[in-house]
Amino acid sequence: MRAPIGDFDNARPAPDCLDELTGPVAAGLRAWQGPVPADRLVYVDTDPAVADTAVFLEHYGPALLDESANCVVVAGRRGETTTLAACVVKSATRVDVNGVVRKHLGARKASFAPMDTATGETGMEYGGITPIGLPADWALLVDAAVVDTEWVLVGSGRRRGKLIVPGKAFAQLPGAVVLEGLGVPVVA
């Protein structure tokens, strides 16, 4: 099969690759429902040594920048209560943690979750966290620009491999809230 974006040697329908995914991501694909069928999601095998966005783009082509997204875990705090959530933004942007995220979570303070918290709570590898298979009680904040992109390259739950997902499918994920302005341009 040929991937809908990029030039990858090994592309297959994601439901055919459950053994190559983390448990939570495989479970998320097994439970997949909504208007975009699960077999429209594509798994591409990639080199784990180049999983981070900048290096990945150098290796697989800078044209993927406009079609890729990052999923990061954030922690919002109000008093003694901490709320974890995931945010999905285009790779050319950064998450507006202290504006949109803090306001949406009703938190006094918001920040990126520590790496051990992000990986421990999701069951996914750092550098490969994906919005598919997140804990059921988490909010999933998705920038509208991601939903408006035809195909989006995002982590697979592991550093090895990526998922290519129709942008509109992010809006159908459990806990998803689509927000304008969640991703803000990176200031050089």
Side-chain angles (χ1 to χ4, degrees):
M1 139 179 238
R2 179 152 170 69
I5 58 172
D7 186 23
F8 300 98
D9 293 332
N10 185 347
R12 294 173 286 155
D16 294 349
C17 305
L18 299 180
D19 290 345
E20 298 177 50
L21 303 169
T22 63
V25 178
L29 284 170
R30 281 189 204 94
W32 188 268
Q33 52 186 315
V36 175
D39 63 1
R40 296 267 336 262
L41 282 66
V42 177
Y43 173 82
V44 292
D45 188 41
T46 60
D47 182 349
V50 297
D52 296 323
T53 302
V55 181
F56 185 89
L57 294 171
E58 280 179 30
H59 187 82
Y60 290 101
L64 287 170
L65 178 62
D66 248 8
E67 298 168 309
S68 63
N70 291 323
C71 181
V72 297
V73 178
V74 296
R77 289 176 209 75
R78 179 175 278 286
E80 298 297 315
T81 303
T82 299
T83 302
L84 295 175
C87 299
V88 180
V89 298
K90 301 276 294 252
S91 294
T93 66
R94 64 175 176 76
V95 177
D96 184 4
V97 176
N98 289 310
V100 175
V101 172
R102 188 181 57 75
K103 182 178 176 183
H104 184 80
L105 295 179
R108 287 204 181 277
K109 182 179 181 184
S111 60
F112 294 105
M115 179 175 57
D116 59 334
T117 299
T119 57
E121 294 290 327
T122 63
M124 299 178 201
E125 295 177 4
Y126 190 75
I129 293 176
T130 189
I132 298 166
L134 292 170
D137 59 340
W138 282 21
L140 171 61
L141 310 181
V142 182
D143 189 87
V146 172
V147 175
D148 292 340
T149 302
E150 184 176 8
W151 291 99
V152 179
L153 181 85
V154 69
S156 68
R158 298 177 55 212
R159 288 185 66 81
R160 167 169 229 109
K162 299 282 185 185
L163 295 173
I164 300 175
V165 179
K168 64 184 177 184
F170 289 94
Q172 79 183 46
L173 289 169
V177 177
V178 178
L179 298 170
E180 292 287 340
L182 178 63
V184 295
V186 176
V187 179

